Amino acid sequence: MVLDQAFRLSSILLAAISVASLLLAIVLPPWLLTLAGLAFALALLRLNQMSSFAGLLLHLRCSALTWNVFLLLAFVGFWIDLMFVSQELLPSGIHFVMMLMVNKLSNLDHRRDFLHLYAISLISLLASAALTTQIWYAPFFLLYLVVGVWTLFLYHLIKERDEFPDGHSTGIAEGPSLSPLTHIRYSFFWTTNAMAAGAFGLTLLFFFSIPRIGAGFFQNNHGDSLRTTGFTEHVDLGAIGPVKHDPSIVMRIALPEAAGDESRREPLYLRGAAYNQYNGTSWSNSQPRRRMLIELPQGTFTLRTPGVKPPAAPQRLRQEILLEPLDTAVLFGASLPVSITGTFLSVQADLMGSLYLPFPFHTRIHYTAYSVLTTLISAERHPTAFLYPDFIAQQYLQVPALDARIVALARRVTQPATSVWQTVRLIRTHLLNNYRYSLEIPTRQSAHPLEDFLLIRKTGYCEHYATAMVMLLRTVGVPARLVTGFLATEWNAFGNYYTVRQRDAHAWVEVYFPQSGWITMDPTPPAPDATTQTWWLSASSVMDPVRLKWDRLFVYYSASDQFAVVQGIRESGEAVRARMSESLTALLRLWSTMLGRLMEVLTPVGFPQAAIFLMLVISAGYAVRLLLRQPRSFDSVQDYYSPHQRVVITLYSTMIDFFAQHGIVKPASATPLEFLRHVHEQWSEASPSADALTHLYAQVRFGQAPLTAEERTTAEGLLHTIRALERSGLTARKS
Amino acid sequence: MFPFKNLIVTSSQSIKSLQDNIARVIKGKARVIEMAIVCLLARGHLLIEDVPGVGKTTLAHSLARSLDCSFKRIQFTSDLLPSDIVGISVFNRQKQAFEFIPGPLFANIVLADEINRTTPKTQSSLLEAMSEAQISVDNHTHPLSQPFMVIATQNPAEYHGTFPLPESQLDRFLMRLRIGYPTLDEEKKVLDRPPSLHPADEIQPVLNAQHIVDLQDQAEKVLMENSLMDYLLAIVLATRHNDLLSLGVSTRGALALCKAAKALALVRDRAYCLPEDIKELAPTILSHRVMLNRSHGVHAKTFEHTERVIQDILDSVPVPL
């Protein structure tokens, strides 16, 4: 049957594709390759059941027992392979799978054999996927998909045909089809291919869209990154305020070296950019020149900020940061970041220790930042006169033309101070105590925002506080600068990381001490109302790590992740192998002691007797096996039909069915020639063709003669002729 | 593919010439002639049962005449003794020893005419000869020459003074045939024949003994497909479980049917058996091996009755597709 051949061909093709993908992923031993190639060649040769060569091959088939022994050997070989040869689960498993495939290819008799073959080919495809990250895998995968769809379609057609052998019972109006392949034309293949492509496309769509729907990708416009105007080279006062209502997540920070340490959950200042020049309404950086950072091996970029001495007690803090796309190129890190590790081409830094990428990024990025936490050296708390270096004095003491009342205020506040440290603390305390935190500030641009804040409104938010503090400090001659960034306060206990949102945007102050360096000071009082802890928030804090994992494992699944998975499999395989070899050794020891004891018993008996005993045991085992096998041989009554016989039986049955449809029923006890006479009496027009077909049937069916291709086409032609009679002659006979 | 196919072609010619030869004597009884040849090729023995005067003896005679081999006829009577047919040891005075004089059984074709007229003792002396093709007399075993075929006739109409054949002996006949009356035209042809000589004398032998042995060997090599054996055994099994029969077909009967089917396939110029061969031969070969259940009443026409039962069985056993 052509359908059978197409089905077998596509099944073999499916297996071949998976093996080919495997071949490109792993180097297989030559003997296994030869074996697999031989199995494929034989399977292909068996495809054409009519050729005399196939008949020859039919006699070459090994018995089921041989194959069972083969499988047993393959299984033993698999363990030997795992323990001693390749010593890894993946290659030895692949070798075993190949052996299974060879077995199945050589024994494609029943439908379930085909199903097993599909399963094995899927396993080898998956194995090759685990072993490779190269792009050539894609065409194999697509091909596998397409052929898989063909094969499954054909499988179902075959199944349908086998379960409802007579076409008319399935409701085909045109009578039983001669060859079930009549409805399989080119359109069939195009349809299945289109279906495969459609399924693939749909899968891709789901794969890429579902996580993004959850992440809210489709609500915004694509490529529109979060607005964080605070991080440009220009900070207008009042820029952060509107942002502080936005709860969207900016980044997540894990502290791997401090995990589980409760003290780490105090607020974390994530430094972004620093500014040194204030013109009365906005901050800017007077020295926008940036330099490239030196790249160390493994993608680490280090920074030695000018003007910062190595701290006396360097306390390195490592942070794993997952940064969402922002419209700025600034990289964040706990103050003060000294080095960055990530997959960046280059990292830049300005003179104030702010880190930048060359251009804003539009994907989520992941990097590790190392920070040195600066603390004030105790010596500098005492009243001493500081001598500031020139470049510090030049850059960080700049004050615009300020209202005289502000200068007076600064002097008044710092009056009691005996040291710089006290000055700083007094100013901060003044700001904390006398001003009210509020985001309800009119957004219109004020001509003198600082004067408004300090003297008139006395209400503001972080930017105002920070600006005021810097200005007050500079007025009394203390170098200071404004820093913008995020204040991480939200600890996610489920994922063990800080969640930083847009509303955590913050501005604060860094004060310069000649020996300690830049010390972080925050003059802003805590926001009056922290967000209330609702069930919704706790639920979202549970969901966020889950979503992060999903994004991590599925949306941003990368080559390194695949490597990690393979590595994991290898490691677990190694562990299994170690444990197995341990128990095997124990078992072997047990056996050897038992064998030794047995030999002690047997030695007086003598070696020949022992050999005879061994042979008896083996033959007894064999006999038991044969006895167990006996009833099974009755199950496969159908097996003694050769393919040729099966073909003619199908053809002859089709003819019988056809005649039965037209009122000439063959009784079960009628022999072929008796039925032929019956046909001749009832419908003489059909007699000659039926006669020829019956004789061919008898010859092949009972004479076991091979059916040549010509004879087969003749037989199909005869069947055609008989069916043609139906259209022309039969109507006349009926009427 | 079939190495002896060519041989079969020639054998089919020889079989055909044999058939034609006999047909020149026995008019219009093609089936009976075919059956007789099947019996010969299957190394079997033939029991012809019919009323007198329909050509039983003529059939046997013409078959023997067509073959270039020895032919003996034994007229069985009630006073016939075993030694009359197998032979007797006579004391030879010159040699001072007993000398075995072979009886009429030492021939290729033996016609046992009216076999049911003689006593069971004599009938049973045929047993060894028929099954083993050898005769043991006085501690000596004498092999019979091949081919060896016994053609026995018996008259069913007359039961007076007859000894019906025991079951064991009936089982040794491969088939039981009826000849039946010829049709009007055929009978006319018989009458038209010149009366000068015996019809069987006018034909010439067409085959010799070796040809027959070769054909018998070929018949054994005819292929019977596995499912056909199942079919055959299904028929045999059905006779054993039939209510109308008190005795089913024995294993020897199954073997006989198998051998005969192969021979028929050869006669019909085939190297393999068909379901037809089995189905067609079954009544002829099996009917004398079964016994009707007595409770269903015995009729005079036992022959027809058993054949009917066998035919019913054949109509119930499905033919393998």
Side-chain angles (χ1 to χ4, degrees):
Chain A
M1 294 270 104
V2 187
L3 182 60
D4 276 327
Q5 279 185 23
F7 171 59
R8 277 170 176 271
L9 184 65
S10 78
S11 299
I12 293 168
L13 198 62
L14 196 70
I17 290 167
S18 67
V19 169
S21 73
L22 209 54
L23 285 184
L24 289 168
I26 187 173
V27 179
L28 290 175
W31 62 268
L32 193 60
L33 278 181
T34 320
L35 201 64
L38 210 63
F40 272 109
L42 283 180
L44 281 176
L45 284 175
R46 284 204 181 111
L47 206 62
N48 188 4
Q49 297 179 344
M50 290 312 105
S51 73
S52 54
F53 200 55
L56 186 74
L57 287 174
L58 214 62
H59 297 288
L60 281 179
R61 298 190 60 156
C62 305
S63 69
L65 177 67
T66 319
W67 280 115
N68 285 348
V69 170
F70 171 80
L71 278 186
L72 213 62
L73 286 178
F75 188 66
V76 170
F78 163 66
W79 282 110
I80 292 172
D81 197 3
L82 183 62
M83 298 290 169
F84 307 109
V85 185
S86 39
Q87 305 206 344
E88 268 187 55
L89 186 61
L90 222 64
S92 54
I94 285 168
H95 296 166
F96 185 53
V97 163
M98 287 292 283
M99 298 289 258
L100 288 182
M101 192 178 273
V102 166
N103 172 31
K104 275 297 153 196
L105 276 174
S106 314
N107 292 299
L108 285 177
D109 297 325
H110 305 280
R111 281 211 304 272
R112 63 180 149 80
D113 293 328
F114 286 95
L115 283 185
H116 295 171
L117 185 69
Y118 305 153
I120 293 168
S121 71
L122 186 65
I123 288 171
S124 43
L125 191 79
L126 290 180
S128 69
L131 280 169
T132 183
T133 55
Q134 286 170 19
I135 192 68
W136 54 254
Y137 179 74
F140 280 103
F141 179 74
L142 280 175
L143 209 59
Y144 185 86
L145 209 66
V146 170
V147 177
V149 173
W150 289 354
T151 312
L152 288 183
F153 264 103
L154 288 171
Y155 176 82
H156 276 277
L157 283 176
I158 291 265
K159 197 176 154 201
E160 199 86 344
R161 189 198 64 186
D162 287 356
E163 283 170 11
F164 305 99
D166 35 356
H168 52 271
S169 69
T170 51
I172 298 168
E174 254 189 86
S177 51
L178 159 64
S179 147
L181 208 57
T182 44
H183 48 280
I184 300 176
R185 300 210 178 82
Y186 283 110
S187 60
F188 170 81
F189 281 98
W190 288 122
T191 315
T192 48
N193 288 352
M195 277 179 137
F200 188 64
L202 210 63
T203 314
L204 283 185
L205 193 70
F206 279 128
F207 186 78
F208 283 108
S209 67
I210 285 186
R212 282 165 176 73
I213 289 172
F217 239 63
F218 297 115
Q219 288 152 14
N220 308 334
N221 291 329
H222 277 279
D224 190 14
S225 32
L226 301 175
R227 278 187 57 77
T228 49
T229 37
F231 306 104
T232 52
E233 279 153 29
H234 234 47
V235 176
D236 289 325
L237 243 57
I240 290 180
V243 169
K244 296 213 52 141
H245 293 288
D246 188 351
S248 54
I249 293 175
V250 178
M251 61 178 126
R252 299 174 180 85
I253 301 142
L255 305 176
E257 280 161 12
D261 187 354
E262 293 291 311
S263 67
R264 290 294 174 195
R265 285 158 60 176
E266 63 196 16
L268 187 70
Y269 286 89
L270 291 159
R271 196 176 186 275
Y275 303 90
N276 62 354
Q277 197 164 13
Y278 183 63
N279 64 4
T281 51
S282 66
W283 283 92
S284 60
N285 192 341
S286 67
Q287 299 226 320
R289 196 176 63 81
R290 297 172 187 171
R291 63 190 172 89
M292 304 290 275
L293 291 185
I294 310 138
E295 188 181 359
L296 301 177
Q298 290 124 23
T300 305
F301 298 88
T302 52
L303 169 100
R304 290 215 177 77
T305 319
V308 176
K309 289 175 189 164
Q315 208 184 344
R316 222 161 119 265
L317 179 67
R318 182 176 156 207
Q319 312 129 63
E320 296 274 343
I321 299 177
L322 191 67
L323 192 58
E324 300 290 336
L326 295 169
D327 65 349
T328 173
V330 175
L331 288 175
F332 296 87
S335 52
L336 294 165
V338 290
S339 66
I340 295 278
T341 305
T343 53
F344 307 126
L345 288 173
S346 68
V347 179
Q348 301 169 348
D350 66 10
L351 290 173
M352 285 178 285
S354 312
L355 300 169
Y356 299 90
L357 289 176
F359 38 81
F361 42 91
H362 296 288
T363 54
R364 180 184 286 184
I365 54 172
H366 177 251
Y367 62 92
T368 309
Y370 297 93
S371 303
V372 174
L373 302 181
T374 49
T375 44
L376 190 65
I377 303 166
S378 56
E380 290 191 314
R381 293 173 195 257
H382 303 302
T384 39
F386 290 155
L387 261 181
Y388 297 112
D390 276 352
F391 70 96
I392 294 286
Q394 276 166 26
Q395 287 181 24
Y396 302 107
L397 285 175
Q398 175 266 342
V399 176
L402 290 173
D403 199 310
R405 285 175 293 172
I406 295 176
V407 182
L409 177 72
R411 303 232 185 278
R412 182 164 53 82
V413 169
T414 56
Q415 192 80 50
T418 53
S419 67
V420 174
W421 174 239
Q422 226 169 357
T423 308
V424 173
R425 285 182 58 186
L426 280 171
I427 289 174
R428 180 166 175 261
T429 319
H430 176 76
L431 287 172
L432 283 174
N433 292 342
N434 298 320
Y435 296 84
R436 196 168 62 84
Y437 184 90
S438 169
L439 286 170
E440 310 301 317
I441 298 294
T443 47
R444 67 178 172 81
Q445 279 291 340
S446 161
H448 304 285
L450 188 62
E451 285 81 354
D452 279 359
F453 170 69
L454 276 176
L455 304 172
I456 301 162
R457 212 189 302 269
K458 301 206 172 187
T459 303
Y461 47 86
C462 56
E463 271 182 329
H464 299 102
Y465 281 92
T467 309
M469 184 167 179
V470 174
M471 283 304 112
L472 292 175
L473 281 171
R474 286 185 179 182
T475 309
V476 296
V478 179
R481 64 188 182 196
L482 181 100
V483 180
T484 55
F486 290 97
L487 178 60
T489 52
E490 190 181 334
W491 176 257
N492 190 319
F494 299 99
N496 282 325
Y497 56 78
Y498 283 106
T499 309
V500 179
R501 300 171 189 275
Q502 278 288 35
R503 65 167 177 240
D504 295 324
H506 197 47
W508 62 93
V509 178
E510 281 177 354
V511 186
Y512 184 73
F513 290 85
Q515 285 175 40
S516 309
W518 292 97
I519 300 297
T520 298
M521 298 298 293
D522 190 359
T524 313
D529 119 55
T531 44
T532 45
Q533 198 73 12
T534 61
W535 67 269
W536 169 248
L537 275 174
S538 50
S540 72
S541 70
V542 173
M543 278 313 290
D544 191 57
V546 174
R547 206 164 69 188
L548 202 63
K549 274 269 187 297
W550 166 263
D551 288 356
R552 170 83 189 70
L553 289 178
F554 295 98
V555 182
Y556 295 97
Y557 199 71
S558 69
S560 58
D561 298 328
Q562 291 191 2
F563 277 129
V565 169
V566 173
Q567 197 65 31
I569 290 175
R570 274 189 191 168
E571 277 165 11
S572 54
E574 189 71 22
V576 167
R577 195 183 68 80
R579 207 168 304 155
M580 286 306 296
S581 74
E582 224 169 76
S583 48
L584 199 70
T585 318
L587 200 66
L588 279 178
R589 205 176 302 129
L590 190 71
W591 278 356
S592 63
T593 51
M594 278 173 66
L595 204 66
R597 226 169 276 166
L598 191 70
M599 284 314 287
E600 273 170 32
V601 175
L602 285 181
T603 313
V605 181
F607 186 72
Q609 282 88 337
I612 287 168
F613 175 73
L614 202 65
M615 275 166 66
L616 273 178
V617 167
I618 289 172
S619 49
Y622 200 73
V624 166
R625 203 191 167 287
L626 278 182
L627 279 178
L628 289 178
R629 248 170 76 89
Q630 208 59 45
R632 226 186 300 161
S633 63
F634 288 102
D635 292 346
S636 50
V637 173
Q638 294 287 319
D639 279 354
Y640 58 66
Y641 290 137
S642 75
H644 302 289
Q645 284 177 318
R646 265 180 247 154
V647 169
V648 287
I649 289 171
T650 318
L651 285 173
Y652 187 70
S653 324
T654 316
M655 186 184 86
I656 299 273
D657 287 345
F658 172 75
F659 281 123
Q661 271 184 307
H662 295 93
I664 307 174
V665 182
K666 175 181 179 293
S669 66
T671 61
L673 297 184
E674 283 174 356
F675 178 63
L676 205 56
R677 279 195 287 279
H678 191 49
V679 168
H680 183 70
E681 286 160 16
Q682 299 279 319
W683 188 9
S684 56
E685 295 97 320
S687 181
S689 305
D691 186 78
L693 188 60
T694 305
H695 279 99
L696 195 62
Y697 159 73
Q699 197 178 327
V700 177
R701 168 70 180 83
F702 296 111
Q704 292 184 340
L707 184 68
T708 62
E710 300 99 87
E711 281 175 333
R712 193 178 151 175
T713 37
T714 314
E716 282 173 356
L718 288 170
L719 208 50
H720 262 307
T721 319
I722 296 171
R723 292 178 65 214
L725 283 172
E726 166 197 23
R727 286 172 201 119
S728 56
L730 189 77
T731 42
R733 190 176 71 93
K734 271 185 177 169
S735 61
Chain B
M1 284 166 251
F2 291 100
F4 63 98
K5 191 158 188 175
N6 291 337
L7 264 173
I8 289 214
V9 173
T10 59
S11 71
S12 81
Q13 286 166 351
S14 44
I15 291 168
K16 189 84 179 63
S17 63
L18 184 62
Q19 269 176 313
D20 291 346
N21 212 29
I22 301 170
R24 280 162 65 193
V25 182
I26 312 289
K27 298 289 180 192
K29 289 287 174 194
R31 188 189 133 79
V32 172
I33 297 167
E34 191 177 42
M35 286 299 136
I37 293 172
V38 164
C39 198
L40 174 69
L41 296 187
R43 302 180 206 269
H45 307 287
L46 183 62
L47 178 64
I48 305 174
E49 184 176 293
D50 219 325
V51 291
V54 288
K56 296 190 293 284
T57 316
T58 312
L59 174 66
H61 211 121
S62 52
L63 178 63
R65 286 282 303 183
S66 302
L67 309 175
D68 186 17
C69 51
S70 56
F71 172 70
K72 291 280 167 55
R73 174 181 173 157
I74 310 165
Q75 189 67 41
F76 279 52
T77 58
S78 56
D79 55 356
L80 196 74
L81 291 174
S83 57
D84 292 338
I85 60 170
V86 297
I88 191 162
S89 296
V90 184
F91 189 75
N92 189 328
R93 280 181 178 274
Q94 286 153 3
K95 292 182 186 166
Q96 289 293 309
F98 280 99
E99 195 179 347
F100 179 66
I101 310 292
L105 214 48
F106 285 84
N108 293 117
I109 310 269
V110 177
L111 175 61
D113 219 0
E114 300 214 59
I115 192 174
N116 57 345
R117 291 250 160 237
T118 192
T119 53
K121 186 182 178 183
T122 314
Q123 285 170 357
S124 65
S125 67
L126 269 172
L127 278 178
E128 191 189 2
M130 284 172 70
S131 58
E132 269 99 46
Q134 63 184 26
I135 289 168
S136 300
V137 179
D138 298 338
N139 300 329
H140 277 287
T141 301
H142 306 277
L144 298 173
S145 59
Q146 287 294 331
F148 175 69
M149 184 187 186
V150 175
I151 301 175
T153 68
Q154 68 177 357
N155 185 350
E158 238 183 313
Y159 284 108
H160 192 72
T162 62
F163 302 92
L165 283 173
E167 289 304 323
S168 60
Q169 192 139 1
L170 271 179
D171 207 21
R172 282 176 166 74
F173 285 101
L174 183 76
M175 54 174 72
R176 180 169 65 171
L177 265 185
R178 276 187 307 167
I179 294 180
Y181 295 113
T183 60
L184 215 60
D185 286 347
E186 290 160 5
E187 210 156 13
K188 203 172 174 183
K189 278 182 197 163
V190 174
L191 296 184
D192 257 358
R193 223 195 312 254
S196 56
L197 33 83
H198 189 274
D201 288 339
E202 68 188 40
I203 57 172
Q204 296 300 317
V206 291
L207 297 175
N208 62 21
Q210 189 54 45
H211 283 137
I212 295 299
V213 172
D214 288 347
L215 285 174
Q216 286 172 341
D217 287 345
Q218 277 178 35
E220 277 179 354
K221 287 178 196 152
V222 167
L223 172 76
M224 182 176 279
E225 210 261 342
N226 205 348
S227 57
L228 282 185
M229 294 213 188
D230 293 340
Y231 174 59
L232 191 153
L233 289 176
I235 293 170
V236 169
L237 218 63
T239 65
R240 293 174 194 169
H241 297 113
N242 196 300
D243 284 343
L244 295 174
L245 300 176
S246 63
L247 178 70
V249 175
S250 64
T251 308
R252 185 177 3 203
L255 200 62
L257 185 53
C258 181
K259 276 161 74 178
K262 287 178 175 180
L264 183 61
L266 185 70
V267 168
R268 294 193 175 163
D269 192 16
R270 264 188 274 110
Y272 51 90
C273 290
L274 283 187
E276 268 76 18
D277 301 332
I278 295 168
K279 197 175 179 184
E280 209 177 313
L281 283 170
T284 317
I285 292 184
L286 302 183
S287 68
H288 63 283
R289 297 169 200 270
V290 297
M291 271 166 70
L292 282 174
N293 209 328
R294 297 283 161 186
S295 62
H296 287 84
V298 194
H299 306 287
K301 297 195 169 182
T302 319
F303 199 134
E304 283 86 353
H305 199 94
T306 40
E307 281 199 344
R308 177 70 52 81
V309 172
I310 300 284
Q311 198 60 54
D312 286 348
I313 287 171
L314 289 176
D315 285 341
S316 68
V317 177
V319 173
L321 197 64

